[in-house]
Amino acid sequence: MLFMSLSHAILTALLDEDLTGYALAKQFDVSLGFFWQASHQQIYRELKVLHQAGRVDVREVLQHDKPDKRIYSLTPQGRQMLESWITESTRPRGTKDELFIKLYNVGSVPVELIVKAVKQRQAEHAGKLELYQKIEARNYARPSSLSDRKKGIYLSLLAGIRQEQTALSWCDDALDLLATVKS
Amino acid sequence: MLFMSLSHAILTALLDEDLTGYALAKQFDVSLGFFWQASHQQIYRELKVLHQAGRVDVREVLQHDKPDKRIYSLTPQGRQMLESWITESTRPRGTKDELFIKLYNVGSVPVELIVKAVKQRQAEHAGKLELYQKIEARNYARPSSLSDRKKGIYLSLLAGIRQEQTALSWCDDALDLLATVKS
DNA sequence: TTCGTCATGTAAGACGTTACATGATTAG
DNA sequence: CTAATCATGTAACGTCTTACATGACGAA
């Protein structure tokens, strides 16, 4: 039984509050999920395994109006597992980005197609940047006066913001250079 | 049978020259592989499928001193497939980065562990940046006078360089802020 | 009445990683 | 003698994605 990043992401999300699989999936769509996405199927499966391994506890809550819930919480072993995972070195996981494959096709396919792909990407980056900056303004206006816990989360957000800004300015330059391509 | 990014990365690599599976795997370790890694096993499997689907041709070359080769080349259908893939919109594939999960643990585990992880990352980014800049200096000194084909490749490299620079400066800021964390 | 939210799951298939396996040649 | 390079693959396992499935409530 091998625990990979997803397990640790789940345990991390449980540091703050006890959550159902469903609520975890929601969390992954926003906060933590900006940097590690997971579908509800993955999460349910992983929770089952983590439970069998004693890394999380469950308490079942029966509801009459809605489906019953299974609320998960960290066990001491779960905490321990997180800490030792953090100690392990993170091996670099390479970038995988289709856009760059497309760029390698400049000169072999009509440039407009590639320009279109870059523009699409530009719009995505702009959207994400806007979202991140909204969150920053709302919750992280004064970084130095944040709680320790929030400082870590803020740093992730900051990385996201910088990445999007860099990507956006790259898009501008890319479109400029692609404009000089004939085909 | 579904063709995903890897197939298209392979076809793209075959635009320039006909290659063996082995040579493709080597290519993926450098150039294109900065943005899309693949192991030789994946490549061999994918080549088999692409061949069955008529997207690549093979010619077998018997060698006496070394093992025999199977040299793959693009077919017109392969080219067609590439072009229509480029036309399709690229759906955003989310970032997945363990480091950010680790950052979410600030406040719950000793900071030193996280500082260590950031420093490790810093070193990796520095290494990649150096490599990319070496390649830039050697092959892409004057971007505007490049061939169309090379302009696309250069833009990928440029994106890599900018990403690494951004990441490096983020590491500096992260280490500064983490220094203000008590636990 | 149709769509979205809450809440859980199964199953199939695609994709990725690690290990194993072969076998000759060349460089240290 | 050992390791690396050339060159191909299989097998086992792990992870991720997509589709399917159920069922009640509330809002438009």
Side-chain angles (χ1 to χ4, degrees):
Chain A
M1 192 49 52
L2 250 168
F3 291 107
M4 303 297 287
S5 305
L6 177 55
S7 331
H8 299 99
I10 289 174
L11 297 178
T12 297
L14 292 175
L15 279 173
D16 275 333
E17 16 164 15
D18 299 348
L19 294 166
T20 64
Y22 186 85
L24 272 164
K26 296 237 111 177
Q27 283 285 119
F28 272 78
D29 281 345
V30 286
S31 180
L32 232 192
F34 293 150
F35 314 106
W36 200 279
Q37 321 76 47
S39 63
H40 69 106
Q41 292 91 335
Q42 281 173 274
I43 290 169
Y44 283 126
R45 189 173 32 185
E46 207 68 25
L47 280 171
K48 208 176 282 176
V49 175
L50 285 168
H51 182 234
Q52 278 163 12
R55 263 67 177 202
V56 294
D57 268 345
V58 200
R59 50 181 202 281
E60 309 220 12
V61 176
L62 307 175
Q63 299 185 118
H64 44 286
D65 50 341
K66 295 174 199 169
D68 298 342
K69 289 182 183 185
R70 320 182 84 234
I71 300 178
Y72 292 89
S73 53
L74 269 184
T75 61
Q77 296 103 292
R79 253 169 222 283
Q80 179 48 50
M81 174 174 151
L82 247 187
E83 184 154 341
S84 51
W85 172 70
I86 288 167
T87 312
E88 285 168 27
S89 71
T90 308
R91 61 176 163 181
R93 83 169 27 236
T95 332
K96 289 213 172 177
D97 194 332
E98 296 185 359
L99 184 59
F100 298 128
I101 304 180
K102 292 188 178 182
L103 278 166
Y104 271 67
N105 281 268
V106 171
S108 301
V109 304
V111 220
E112 306 88 58
L113 300 182
I114 303 190
V115 167
K116 212 183 131 199
V118 174
K119 283 186 177 164
Q120 190 206 322
R121 179 61 64 92
Q122 195 177 33
E124 283 161 19
H125 288 307
K128 274 199 189 173
L129 179 58
E130 203 184 335
L131 173 61
Y132 292 167
Q133 285 178 331
K134 210 170 271 173
I135 296 174
E136 187 192 25
R138 209 169 284 169
N139 305 303
Y140 304 95
R142 261 172 310 286
S144 51
S145 59
L146 291 170
S147 70
D148 286 351
R149 179 122 191 74
K150 287 219 157 182
K151 279 178 186 168
I153 302 178
Y154 165 71
L155 283 174
S156 302
L157 184 66
L158 185 63
I161 290 172
R162 301 256 184 103
Q163 271 170 24
E164 299 305 331
Q165 285 170 335
T166 302
L168 268 176
S169 88
W170 174 85
C171 284
D172 290 337
D173 296 338
L175 290 172
D176 285 348
L177 189 61
L178 289 176
T180 71
V181 172
K182 282 146 304 277
S183 89
Chain B
M1 192 49 53
L2 251 166
F3 291 107
M4 303 296 288
S5 303
L6 177 56
S7 331
H8 298 99
I10 290 174
L11 297 179
T12 297
L14 292 175
L15 278 174
D16 274 333
E17 19 164 14
D18 300 348
L19 294 165
T20 65
Y22 186 84
L24 272 164
K26 295 237 113 177
Q27 283 284 118
F28 272 78
D29 281 344
V30 286
S31 182
L32 232 192
F34 294 150
F35 313 106
W36 201 280
Q37 321 74 48
S39 63
H40 68 107
Q41 292 91 337
Q42 282 174 273
I43 290 169
Y44 283 125
R45 192 171 38 186
E46 207 67 27
L47 279 171
K48 208 177 279 176
V49 175
L50 284 168
H51 183 231
Q52 277 162 14
R55 263 66 178 202
V56 294
D57 268 346
V58 199
R59 49 178 203 282
E60 310 220 12
V61 177
L62 307 175
Q63 301 184 121
H64 44 285
D65 50 340
K66 294 175 200 170
D68 298 343
K69 287 182 184 187
R70 314 176 44 92
I71 299 177
Y72 291 89
S73 52
L74 270 183
T75 61
Q77 295 103 291
R79 252 167 222 283
Q80 179 48 51
M81 173 175 153
L82 248 187
E83 184 154 339
S84 51
W85 172 72
I86 288 168
T87 312
E88 285 168 26
S89 72
T90 308
R91 61 179 162 175
R93 82 167 29 234
T95 333
K96 288 213 171 176
D97 193 331
E98 297 185 359
L99 184 60
F100 298 127
I101 305 179
K102 292 189 178 182
L103 279 166
Y104 271 69
N105 281 269
V106 171
S108 301
V109 303
V111 220
E112 307 87 58
L113 300 182
I114 304 191
V115 167
K116 212 184 131 199
V118 173
K119 283 185 178 164
Q120 190 206 322
R121 180 61 63 92
Q122 194 176 34
E124 283 161 20
H125 288 307
K128 273 200 192 175
L129 179 57
E130 202 185 335
L131 172 61
Y132 292 167
Q133 284 178 331
K134 209 170 273 176
I135 296 174
E136 188 192 26
R138 210 168 285 168
N139 304 301
Y140 304 95
R142 262 171 310 284
S144 52
S145 59
L146 291 170
S147 69
D148 287 351
R149 179 120 192 76
K150 286 220 158 182
K151 280 178 185 167
I153 301 177
Y154 166 71
L155 283 173
S156 302
L157 184 66
L158 184 64
I161 290 173
R162 300 256 184 102
Q163 272 170 23
E164 300 305 331
Q165 285 169 336
T166 302
L168 269 176
S169 88
W170 173 86
C171 285
D172 290 337
D173 296 339
L175 291 172
D176 285 348
L177 190 60
L178 288 176
T180 72
V181 172
K182 282 147 302 280
S183 89

